[in-house]
Amino acid sequence: PVNRTKEVQEARMKLPVCGEEQVIMEAIRNNTVVVICGETGSGKTTQVPQFLYEAGWSHPDSDNPGLIAITQPRRVAAVSMAKRVGYELNLPESVVSHQIRYDVTTSEKTRIKFMTDGVLLRELSQDLLLTKYSVIIIDEAHERNLNTDILIGVVSRVLKLRAELSREDRAKIKPLRVVIMSATLRVSDFTENSTLFTKPPPVISVNARQYPVSIHFNKRTPEDHVAEAFKKVSKIHDRLPEGGILIFLTGQNEIQHLCKLLREKYPSLPPKAALEERKRIRQAAELELKRDAAIPGEAAMESEEIALGENQVEDFDLESDSDDSDSDLGFDEEELVSTKDAPLHVLPLYSSLPTEAQLRVFQPPPEGTRLCVIATNVAETSVTIPGIRYVVDCGKAKERRYDIKTGVQSFEVDWTSKASAGQRAGRAGRTGPGHCYRLYSSAVFDHDFEQFSTPEISRMPIEGVVLNMKSMGIDNVVNFPFPTPPERQTLSKAEKLLGYLGAIDTDVKHITPVGQAMANLPVTPRFAKMLVIGNQQDCLPFVIAIVAALSVGDPFIQEYHLEENEDDSDDDSLDHKELKGLNRETEIAKARRRLMRKKYFESQIKHAGLDRSSDILKLLNVVGAYEYAGATAEFCEENFLRSKAMEEIRKLRWQLTNLMAALFENVDVWVDPKMLPPTKRQIKFLKQVITAGFIDSVAIRKDVIENGGQGGTRFKNARGVAYKLMWSEEEAFIHPGSILYSQEPPIALVYNELFKGATKTCFKGVTAIDT
Ligand code: ADP
Ligand code: MG
């Protein structure tokens, strides 16, 4: 017996998904897996759990006594949806509960449980059969989050197990049902994937009523999308008829900044007497905005995220579209209204915001005010805010990325996909026809937006993914049914590396305590390993600087590397040819280049310091010297460094330092701008740390191997000296750009990178192993 209020009852009946209740329930009864697709706001998240509840699922005396579980990629959604469903069913939070990492309301009475997919994955490591549950609803599957993908894979196996066990003894173990819900119809990765589900699950699509949304592109793409959003929202509020505004920005800092500007310009209570005051504030706000616009904004980040990149800006243009006219609003003159100085009810929405503050967006705004929500892509599909008529979309999102070459994981702000932009626009058409203002040009949309976002699993370094899975207790990753599987070979290679690094047991492939610690660090496992073992002999600050530099990638300007690569003799003959033309300018340019090369080489030697046995230690010296010199662009210029890379290294160095201090009890580190170079003893230790991180990247001089490990030839420098790779048959050479090139080549070395040149394969980032 369900006891809903009349009001709730009426609202429910308008939801498209309620028209499909019979179809959905029948499909769930007859199939172990069912996929439900429906536009955001059609009622999937709030109603499907209620259908199950009303049909007796989760009732102790029923045939399906286990709980109803609903997973969400985001905490905001898990909490707010549990509240909403509890409210609709008129049940306390001890019955319709939620569980997220820092907050749990479950009790013995819990029947419906909303949780993040991360929480369910952790529960799996305790109870692989998920015996507590009778049905698992995996929501927002279209987002293709790593956790959601892995969860779908795990659950497909749990289903089989539960089915087998219940056939043996149904009284003891009941079969499990799975419902996958998606806001888009792009679900073939789940349905047409026979390793995942042998029999394709039925797909039920819910036809949502969606009102038309007019899309308005900016003519130009502004450099500062926050300033642009401020202008646009002001115009909408000043000139357009009633209806809520939803603004998509990329992160917490941007959101708070825009909140502040809008609240100053439009106080939510109109103090008639204080009109003058408001004018003053508005001018100040605009002034501040101008000032801020002049400073390149740092990529805003949510507290739990690591941000490294900078905004990618395509069209540099400080002028926005037709500033003073309202023509960009796309309304006819007679449709415009004047609500100048009307109050605006400005609310932020992002995942690290306290729950109570998040839930305010669902309440109707105070009488006579206009609702204005400034959100991250949380509001894209996870939550539906009532009454939105205008959407302002900056077109960007913060996304987890990794660099295949360096393997660094980061959160970067970049253009979203066309699919995401469509979802964002759709938020304006829930209650009536709406408008979406895109703060970028249609050319940018056409050329720079991908069709769909790439599944997160394809954007992650694979050894990182595997380590994450192991830390969740999934040991057999090669046979794991991924919705979008990484290549098998890549997977087993990743496992091998984790074994070398000591993160997993090489026999049973189970995670070790070291691996568990490594899983908490936002760098690739090999760098995480270096950090975890680096806290000895006061070396951790050095290790952090090294890891930061390696993660960002080579900060030296590459051109000079390439020239180093050219053979001197070739260069001369070229010179002669050109000299025949006697082009004075070329001659000067040539001479200058040669001078630069000399300077570059000198600076390399200088940075290498006393110890010339490691390119990575050279990097450490550069990072230290840069900080010592006040982290200036001049320093970069003088030393042939890319200043953007150096800034990124600096940021990462700070982040890793804070993280290490927070994660490990016995760690006491800070960023010392006057860090002294490592001592001889410390250098020895640092080389061991580097070797431990690159344990799979060892090479031995070929002549020494051929000589049975005895002596070998004496060489003056590394030119033409071949090395054999430890774990493959390949041969490689020390690159002329290496600090080790111009000296007696070491017998053994570890390398950071391998790359294939036109004629031979070269090492980059070499460290000699003391033999
Ligand atoms: P879907 O999951 O298909 O996107 P939901 O079930 O989240 O849809 O939302 C269905 C409807 O319920 C929406 O129209 C939304 O406005 C309403 N709704 C959801 N949560 C709340 C809430 N906390 N307060 C008021 N209305 C809500
Ligand atoms: Mg939903």
Side-chain angles (χ1 to χ4, degrees), residues 470-487:
K470 302 273 179 185
S471 80
M472 290 162 190
I474 303 163
D475 285 339
N476 189 357
V477 289
V478 176
N479 291 330
F480 187 80
F482 294 96
T484 302
E487 301 228 345

Side-chain angles (χ1 to χ4, degrees), residues 554-709:
D554 190 354
F556 286 100
I557 295 169
Q558 296 295 310
E559 281 159 44
Y560 299 101
H561 275 330
L562 292 180
E563 290 194 47
E564 290 276 328
N565 207 4
E566 289 167 12
D567 235 323
D568 276 1
S569 53
D570 283 358
D571 215 10
D572 279 345
S573 66
L574 218 120
D575 244 2
H576 284 305
K577 258 182 252 155
E578 279 181 30
L579 276 172
K580 274 182 199 144
L582 269 180
N583 185 333
R584 227 181 102 72
E585 272 173 45
T586 343
E587 217 179 315
I588 292 172
K590 263 247 122 91
R592 256 201 10 230
R593 260 180 15 162
R594 206 170 280 153
L595 197 72
M596 289 293 265
R597 246 173 62 185
K598 195 162 158 267
K599 252 189 92 185
Y600 171 79
F601 192 66
E602 280 166 8
S603 96
Q604 294 286 304
I605 298 282
K606 187 182 85 199
H607 289 305
L610 296 175
D611 191 279
R612 288 221 211 149
S613 63
S614 169
D615 291 320
I616 293 174
L617 291 178
K618 175 189 77 186
L619 213 48
L620 170 66
N621 286 343
V622 169
V623 172
Y626 169 74
E627 196 70 41
Y628 192 94
T632 61
E634 288 81 60
F635 179 88
C636 295
E637 206 167 306
E638 273 167 31
N639 291 281
F640 304 89
L641 293 161
R642 293 183 293 131
S643 67
K644 185 163 174 271
M646 290 308 288
E647 278 166 35
E648 285 176 5
I649 291 171
R650 188 166 189 237
K651 275 193 215 161
L652 187 57
R653 201 179 151 198
W654 277 94
Q655 278 164 352
L656 289 175
T657 303
N658 294 337
L659 201 61
M660 288 301 288
L663 282 177
F664 298 96
E665 269 170 22
N666 59 338
V667 164
D668 183 23
V669 278
W670 66 95
V671 175
D672 182 1
K674 309 275 176 217
M675 181 170 77
L676 292 171
T679 63
K680 257 208 158 85
R681 208 171 49 113
Q682 285 174 324
I683 286 176
K684 196 163 178 222
F685 176 69
L686 288 174
K687 278 161 91 178
Q688 286 166 10
V689 171
I690 293 164
T691 308
F694 292 100
I695 192 73
D696 60 328
S697 312
V698 178
I700 314 240
R701 240 167 62 188
K702 196 178 160 194
D703 59 293
V704 176
I705 294 178
E706 282 167 357
N707 213 6

Side-chain angles (χ1 to χ4, degrees), residues 465-502:
V465 172
V466 174
L467 183 61
N468 277 345
M469 287 172 61
K470 302 273 179 185
S471 80
M472 290 162 190
I474 303 163
D475 285 339
N476 189 357
V477 289
V478 176
N479 291 330
F480 187 80
F482 294 96
T484 302
E487 301 228 345
R488 237 153 209 258
Q489 211 186 347
T490 328
L491 264 173
S492 44
K493 225 177 120 195
E495 249 182 354
K496 233 186 197 162
L497 173 58
L498 292 175
Y500 293 149
L501 294 176

Side-chain angles (χ1 to χ4, degrees), residues 291-308:
R291 208 178 49 230
D292 282 0
I295 310 165
E298 228 191 71
M301 62 189 93
E302 301 209 4
S303 60
E304 68 221 53
E305 298 174 352
I306 303 282
L308 300 169

Side-chain angles (χ1 to χ4, degrees), residues 515-533:
Q516 210 56 264
M518 286 164 58
N520 288 324
L521 293 162
V523 290
T524 56
R526 60 172 90 245
F527 298 154
K529 166 80 174 192
M530 290 164 65
L531 291 172
V532 166
I533 61 168

